[in-house]
């Protein structure tokens, strides 16, 4: 309830909703990305930013003006932007002689402080416009595929993989329409280079239920080479990965499953007085009145009424 | 019959072949994120080649991987959303790939003074109905707010004079004043609760103890002090850096005076008393007047500069200030030259 805990409380419902959208929550919003042009961004870099904006459409902000900053030296302006627009991912494009066609992909956590930044150089770029195919509707959740063992062996490539997943993931949904799996992003790490290709998926009939896949190239394709990196320290990264306790799925106690699939449940009872148990009434076993009085007379002598 | 069965099997296998993909290592799937990771090292030699062949190879690799991922996705429990004719929708599991959070998880705020009291006494919230029956209007009205049950309080046309009150007092003014006081007191208590929560939170700052690269010197010093004191012997035996101060930091922050013990170091006491006698007997004054005057002048100049900073800084500009300085320092050095010659050996404790 951070909005109501401020010194100056919001006066309108709209302001309150705005503040509540931005405060830290148990289940977080989808991460927004900001696409920034550096002081000397050339045509290639601008095209790349525009294409990636098209891919990430509702969850990205493209800044039109050039911003003269150097992310690797000074992160304060980036942090300011992220605070203002509530974006936690950024993509910064620039170009100079030493680093031509430079793209810095970054992510942050904890109150808008920069966590990881990786600088990639664009070797080849084919834009959305250059490939004359039909495109898929914007806002489709893409499928992500990473190929190559470099993505697990090298620490920097591992962080890059997690950055890419975070960037292109889209909103987390509980269910998905199977016919709507149209877009796939394929990353291959080979030979020190990373090839990113986007394909449109065509589902063809095969004999059985699962369709056969045919791919059609569409969308931006990038050849990237890794340059500098600025990775967060391990303990800071671990702190950011920590999920709050409320998110863990609650374990149902006293339910267990058999190998064969039978579900067993345990019931805990209090101690029962077995002599007072209500069992089935068998009329044949009922005590006849003669027997009853004989037992009573012997076992429990009744008090005789005083005259 | 056997021939027919064999032919049917052939057909099945043929169909299955179109969707099966052979891979050395199985892919790792995270279906919640629609993610697949292929660990097989791609054929580097083939991919190093020129343009179109590489593209074709990449596309083939992508097709295979996508086929595997889609097969997995189509094996998920699916149902028809929106009745019989609706689209086939699969239930995705939770994403398993761990990604860093955007913001730290929310901390529960500390209870307010009233909440603590209520917990102590066992007072629980009474659930109130949202609407109240309003007798004069004969309908259900809100408890407070727009068109509330008791009528508009600002239009109250009658204010009774209470029993012990001054007959000349304006009752309406009194009611308005009391409402204002109540609102002010409420706001004051809310701000006090906020300040208390803020103070309690900042007493144990967990996040700044991790180096972020954005901490200033004071914060780092504070954090280093916390880290030093958090050992079992409260930092008494921690090694120090060569330039760090040697004495342990006092808990009161240097406010209390410390006195020498009465019967301590006899030699030190003797030497101190002799020094005192020597100073009393010497003809030179203990206070060096020139140094005292210089110090006073410097202090006044600093104050004047600080006072003029806001007003005259823009006027003089950088060049003006730069020209000013050699002149100033000349004046200072001229005055200072005198005490350099007469500086006494042991005097000038006050300076």
């Amino acid at each position: 309830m951070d909005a109501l805990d401020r010194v100056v409380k919001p006066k309108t419902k709209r302001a309150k909703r705005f503040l509540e959208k931005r405060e830290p929550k148990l289940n977080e919003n989808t991460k927004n990305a900001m696409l920034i042009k550096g002081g000397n961004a050339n045509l290639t870099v601008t095209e790349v930013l525009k294409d990636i904006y098209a891919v990430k459409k509702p969850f990205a902000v493209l800044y039109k003006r050039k911003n003269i900053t150097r992310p690797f030296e000074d992160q304060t302006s980036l942090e300011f932007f992220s605070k203002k627009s509530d974006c936690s991912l950024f993509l910064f494009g620039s170009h100079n002689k030493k680093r031509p066609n430079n793209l810095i992909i970054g992510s942050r956590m904890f109150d808008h402080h920069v966590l990881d930044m990786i600088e990639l150089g664009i070797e080849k770029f084919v834009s959305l416009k250059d490939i004359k195919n039909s495109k898929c509707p914007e806002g489709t959740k893409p499928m992500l595929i990473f190929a190559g063992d470099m993505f697990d062996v090298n620490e920097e490539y591992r962080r890059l993989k997690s950055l890419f997943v975070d960037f292109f993931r889209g909103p987390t949904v509980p269910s998905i329409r199977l016919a709507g799996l149209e877009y796939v992003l394929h990353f291959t790490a080979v030979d020190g280079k990373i090839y990113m290709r986007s394909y449109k998926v065509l589902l063809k009939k095969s004999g059985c239920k699962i369709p056969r896949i045919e791919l059609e190239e569409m969308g931006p394709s990038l050849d990237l080479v890794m340059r500098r990196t600025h990775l967060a320290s391990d303990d800071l990264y671990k702190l950011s990965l920590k999920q709050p306790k409320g998110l863990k799925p609650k374990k149902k106690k006293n339910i267990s499953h058999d190998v064969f699939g039978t579900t067993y449940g345990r019931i805990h009872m209090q101690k029962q007085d077995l002599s007072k148990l209500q069992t089935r009434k068998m009329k044949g076993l009922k005590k006849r009145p003669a027997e009853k009085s004989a037992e009573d007379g012997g076992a429990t002598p009744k008090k005789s009424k005083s005259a | 019959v056997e021939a027919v069965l064999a032919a049917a099997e052939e057909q099945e296998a043929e169909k299955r072949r179109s969707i099966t993909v052979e891979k050395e290592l199985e892919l790792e799937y995270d279906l919640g994120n629609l993610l697949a990771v292929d660990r097989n090292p791609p054929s580097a030699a083939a991919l190093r080649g020129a343009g179109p062949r590489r593209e074709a190879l990449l596309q083939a690799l992508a097709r295979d991987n996508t086929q595997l991922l889609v097969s997995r996705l189509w094996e998920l429990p699916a149902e028809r959303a929106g009745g019989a004719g609706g689209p086939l929708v699969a239930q995705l599991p939770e994403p398993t790939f761990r990604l860093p959070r955007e913001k730290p998880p929310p901390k529960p705020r500390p209870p307010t003074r009233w909440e603590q009291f209520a917990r102590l006494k066992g007072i629980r919230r009474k659930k109130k109905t949202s609407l109240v029956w309003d007798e004069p209007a004969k309908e259900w009205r809100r408890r407070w707010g727009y068109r509330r049950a008791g009528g508009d309080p600002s239009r109250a046309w009658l204010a009774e004079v209470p029993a012990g009150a001054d007959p000349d007092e304006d009752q309406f003014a009194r009611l308005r004043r009391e409402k204002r006081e109540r609102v002010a007191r409420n706001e004051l208590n809310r701000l006090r609760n906020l300040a208390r929560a803020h103070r309690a939170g900042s007493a144990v700052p967990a996040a700044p103890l991790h180096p972020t690269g954005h901490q200033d010197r004071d914060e780092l010093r504070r954090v280093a002090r916390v880290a030093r004191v958090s050992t079992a012997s409260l930092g008494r035996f921690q090694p120090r850096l060569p330039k760090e101060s040697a004495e342990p930091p006092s808990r009161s922050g240097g406010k209390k005076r410390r006195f020498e013990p009465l019967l301590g170091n006899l030699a030190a006491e003797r030497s101190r008393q002799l020094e005192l006698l020597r100073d009393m007997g010497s003809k030179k004054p203990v206070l060096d007047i020139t140094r005292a005057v210089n110090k006073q002048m410097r202090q006044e100049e600093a104050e004047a500069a600080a006072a003029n900073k806001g007003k005259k800084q823009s006027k003089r500009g950088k060049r003006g200030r730069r020209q000013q300085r050699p002149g100033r320092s000349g004046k200072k050095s001229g005055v200072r030259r005198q005490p350099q010659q007469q500086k006494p050996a042991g005097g000038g404790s006050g300076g």
Side-chain angles (χ1 to χ4, degrees):
Chain A
M1 285 247 285
D2 191 50
L4 301 175
D5 281 346
R6 298 163 81 84
V7 178
V8 184
K9 284 211 272 205
K11 289 208 164 51
T12 53
K13 283 259 163 66
R14 185 165 175 231
K16 186 169 155 204
R17 264 181 275 137
F18 177 83
L19 287 174
E20 277 181 359
K21 195 160 70 122
R22 296 200 169 189
E23 66 185 13
K25 295 181 211 153
L26 267 189
N27 287 320
E28 293 186 319
N29 309 335
T30 317
K31 293 193 187 183
N32 279 335
M34 45 191 195
L35 310 170
I36 313 174
K37 293 200 281 191
N40 43 10
N42 60 355
L43 192 64
T44 325
V45 157
T46 325
E47 290 285 311
V48 170
L49 288 177
K50 267 204 257 186
D51 279 354
I52 295 192
Y53 175 64
V55 168
K56 241 187 109 72
K57 212 20 159 350
F59 299 107
V61 183
L62 177 65
Y63 286 155
K64 283 197 184 149
R65 297 231 194 107
K66 294 189 180 179
N67 293 295
I68 307 178
T69 45
R70 303 214 174 114
F72 271 86
E73 272 98 53
D74 172 36
Q75 286 119 18
T76 44
S77 66
L78 283 173
E79 294 180 357
F80 173 73
F81 282 145
S82 125
K83 260 191 240 185
K84 278 288 166 177
S85 60
D86 195 30
C87 292
S88 49
L89 301 164
F90 71 90
L91 202 57
F92 182 87
S94 66
H95 170 84
N96 41 16
K97 212 153 132 192
K98 193 165 167 200
R99 288 176 236 276
N101 294 334
N102 208 9
L103 202 67
I104 302 179
I105 178 168
S107 93
R108 64 209 42 219
M109 39 82 56
F110 278 31
D111 301 329
H112 308 280
H113 285 307
V114 172
L115 187 56
D116 282 344
M117 268 198 300
I118 299 184
E119 190 174 49
L120 303 162
I122 306 172
E123 306 229 309
K124 193 175 81 122
F125 168 62
V126 183
S127 136
L128 271 171
K129 300 196 294 280
D130 294 340
I131 306 181
K132 311 268 190 284
N133 279 339
S134 61
K135 317 284 183 214
C136 63
E138 88 188 10
T140 353
K141 195 166 154 86
M143 292 189 276
L144 301 162
I145 306 185
F146 289 85
D149 48 350
M150 286 263 267
F151 277 123
D152 287 300
V153 164
N154 199 341
E155 172 66 31
E156 298 185 343
Y157 276 82
R158 246 182 294 161
R159 290 282 179 97
L160 186 63
K161 180 171 82 162
S162 106
L163 256 180
F164 277 141
V165 172
D166 220 352
F167 210 88
F168 292 109
R169 183 163 69 138
T172 315
V173 286
S175 53
I176 191 165
R177 192 172 76 106
L178 285 173
L181 293 166
E182 287 178 340
Y183 192 36
V184 63
L185 283 168
H186 185 89
F187 297 87
T188 321
V190 133
D191 236 5
K193 290 210 196 152
I194 302 165
Y195 301 102
M196 174 183 135
R197 301 277 179 274
S198 347
Y199 300 104
K200 186 169 150 74
V201 174
L202 306 162
L203 304 164
K204 296 269 166 65
K205 260 192 203 299
S206 79
C208 37
K209 204 172 61 147
I210 301 172
R212 183 176 161 79
I213 301 288
E214 290 297 331
L215 295 179
E216 203 185 314
E217 171 127 21
M218 108 195 188
S221 79
L222 292 166
D223 289 359
L224 303 163
V225 68
M226 198 189 279
R227 289 182 188 154
R228 293 184 287 182
T229 59
H230 170 90
L231 301 176
S233 56
D234 271 338
D235 56 342
L236 199 58
Y237 196 67
K238 262 196 231 157
L239 200 63
S240 73
L241 286 176
K242 225 199 268 207
Q243 307 287 351
K245 264 208 190 151
L247 277 183
K248 266 199 278 198
K250 276 195 156 180
K251 281 191 174 170
K252 276 196 150 177
K253 291 170 91 169
N254 298 322
I255 296 182
S256 58
H257 295 274
D258 205 2
V259 184
F260 302 106
T262 331
T263 315
Y264 290 100
R266 296 178 86 148
I267 307 175
H268 300 268
M269 298 278 302
Q270 291 166 337
K271 203 166 158 87
Q272 288 176 316
D273 188 7
L274 290 170
S275 60
K276 294 207 173 26
L277 258 186
Q278 170 83 299
T279 49
R280 262 171 136 188
K281 295 190 175 135
M282 305 258 178
K283 222 166 166 190
L285 298 174
K286 216 165 153 185
K287 287 201 170 76
R288 297 215 180 78
E291 280 183 14
K292 210 169 168 187
S293 59
E295 243 196 44
D296 275 353
T300 57
K302 283 204 180 115
K303 273 200 206 149
S304 56
K305 285 191 188 158
S306 52
Chain B
V1 176
E2 276 189 25
V4 173
L5 277 174
E9 245 187 65
E10 264 274 343
Q11 250 187 355
E12 267 298 322
E14 183 69 43
K15 283 186 200 160
R16 289 247 157 230
R17 222 177 294 148
S18 64
I19 57 163
T20 46
V21 174
E22 282 296 320
K23 283 272 179 186
E24 277 177 15
L25 275 172
E26 272 292 311
L27 304 201
E28 290 181 359
Y29 300 96
D30 175 11
L31 294 173
N33 278 326
L34 301 182
L35 174 68
V37 180
D38 179 12
R39 291 249 178 103
N40 300 306
S43 51
L47 282 170
R48 218 174 287 148
R53 205 156 54 101
R54 186 162 64 193
E55 296 299 318
L57 267 170
L58 283 174
Q59 187 153 346
L61 182 62
R63 197 219 77 81
D64 289 341
N65 287 335
T66 321
Q67 179 76 66
L68 286 168
L69 180 58
V70 169
S71 331
R72 274 303 179 93
L73 282 170
W74 279 71
E75 280 166 13
L76 285 176
E79 56 179 30
R80 293 228 157 246
L88 197 60
V89 169
Q91 307 284 339
L92 285 178
E94 292 278 327
T96 53
F97 193 77
R98 285 184 84 189
L99 286 166
R101 277 180 69 95
E102 197 178 27
K103 298 180 181 119
K107 289 187 285 267
R109 54 154 209 231
T112 61
R113 243 171 98 81
W114 165 252
E115 281 172 4
Q116 284 169 359
F117 179 75
R119 206 189 304 157
L120 196 65
K121 287 278 188 169
I123 303 174
R124 275 187 288 190
R125 296 203 64 172
K126 283 208 187 81
K127 233 178 136 77
K128 299 195 171 110
T129 61
S130 43
L131 299 175
V132 185
W133 178 250
D134 188 19
E135 199 42 62
K138 299 258 189 308
E139 63 171 2
W140 288 95
R141 287 242 175 117
R142 284 166 218 236
R143 194 177 281 276
W144 61 271
Y146 182 60
R147 284 205 199 143
R148 66 187 75 167
D152 193 1
S154 59
R155 295 238 204 134
W157 49 270
L158 177 70
E160 277 188 23
V161 180
D166 179 19
D168 287 335
E169 192 190 357
D170 183 3
Q171 294 305 317
F172 295 109
R174 182 184 61 96
L175 287 172
R176 263 180 282 135
R177 189 183 61 230
E178 282 181 357
K179 175 156 175 92
R180 236 180 294 142
E181 280 168 11
R182 263 180 282 139
V183 167
R185 192 177 339 125
N186 203 354
E187 183 67 20
L188 180 68
N189 282 332
R190 184 182 78 93
L191 289 174
R192 267 207 221 133
N193 279 325
L194 260 187
R196 206 172 293 125
H198 187 72
R199 229 184 313 133
S202 69
V204 189
L209 283 179
H210 292 272
T212 57
H214 306 285
Q215 290 162 313
D216 52 348
R217 208 192 315 170
D218 305 317
E219 245 182 86
L220 284 174
R221 204 179 291 148
R222 197 178 346 130
V223 170
R225 186 173 46 163
V226 171
R228 149 173 260 113
V229 175
S230 52
T231 55
S233 45
L234 299 181
R236 279 190 65 193
F237 304 111
Q238 290 293 104
R240 284 180 195 277
L241 289 174
K243 297 236 176 113
E244 239 181 308
S245 58
E247 86 278 337
S250 51
R251 275 187 52 182
S252 54
K255 284 184 217 137
K256 283 217 165 129
R257 284 181 68 182
R258 290 197 184 264
F259 297 99
E260 302 286 332
L262 281 177
L263 299 172
N265 195 351
L266 286 178
E269 192 177 342
R270 187 189 148 97
S271 62
R272 226 182 312 125
Q273 303 282 14
L274 286 177
E275 234 184 71
L276 186 65
L277 281 174
R278 185 162 38 91
D279 283 343
M280 280 164 64
S282 76
K283 298 277 171 34
K284 276 182 271 188
V286 182
L287 179 64
D288 186 4
I289 294 193
T290 37
R291 274 182 82 177
V293 167
N294 286 342
K295 198 169 182 186
Q296 179 71 17
M297 280 168 61
R298 250 181 287 143
Q299 214 176 20
E300 281 173 8
E301 275 172 16
E303 279 172 22
N308 284 336
K309 201 167 149 191
K311 295 182 230 167
K312 283 201 181 163
Q313 199 176 31
S314 53
K315 231 182 161 186
R316 264 198 250 127
K318 263 200 262 185
R319 207 174 287 171
R321 264 179 272 140
R322 246 190 275 137
Q323 279 177 0
Q324 278 272 351
R325 253 187 247 130
R328 277 166 136 212
S329 62
K331 183 166 69 164
K332 266 198 219 160
S333 60
V335 172
R336 254 202 236 130
R337 246 180 254 132
Q338 289 179 11
Q340 294 289 351
Q341 294 164 3
Q342 313 176 3
K343 190 170 150 190
S349 60

